[in-house]
């Protein structure tokens, strides 16, 4: 974890938090990894396009 902050009140009984995380993968000889499929790439792009089309979406 790099940083964590409690944000302003959002009118809920839960606290809004901002967290900045760092991911440092470690490779292992035994790891084969994941295979990326074309349908997964297509679906990901579709999700992003739909999100961007919304006026209040911030990517």
């Amino acid at each position: 974890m790099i940083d964590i902050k409690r944000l302003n009140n959002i009118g809920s009984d839960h606290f809004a938090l901002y967290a900045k995380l760092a991911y440092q993968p470690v490779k292992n000889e035994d790891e084969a990894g994941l295979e990326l499929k074309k349908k997964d790439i297509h679906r990901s792009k579709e999700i992003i396009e739909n999100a961007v089309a919304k006026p209040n979406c911030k990517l």
Side-chain angles (χ1 to χ4, degrees):
M1 181 175 299
I2 295 175
D3 190 21
I4 188 166
K5 295 178 184 176
R6 182 173 162 190
L7 301 177
N8 295 331
N9 186 340
I10 58 172
S12 172
D13 60 341
H14 295 86
F15 298 117
L17 295 177
Y18 164 83
K20 186 173 184 179
L21 308 173
Y23 175 67
Q24 297 176 333
V26 177
K27 290 195 175 188
N28 183 338
E29 291 178 13
D30 299 332
E31 290 182 10
L34 299 174
E35 291 184 26
L36 195 56
K37 297 177 182 174
K38 287 184 182 181
K39 70 177 184 176
D40 295 330
I41 295 171
H42 176 73
R43 180 67 180 133
S44 298
K45 288 180 180 180
E46 185 179 87
I47 291 169
I48 292 170
E49 288 171 4
N50 288 337
V52 170
K54 295 180 182 178
N56 62 350
C57 179
K58 296 178 184 177
L59 293 178

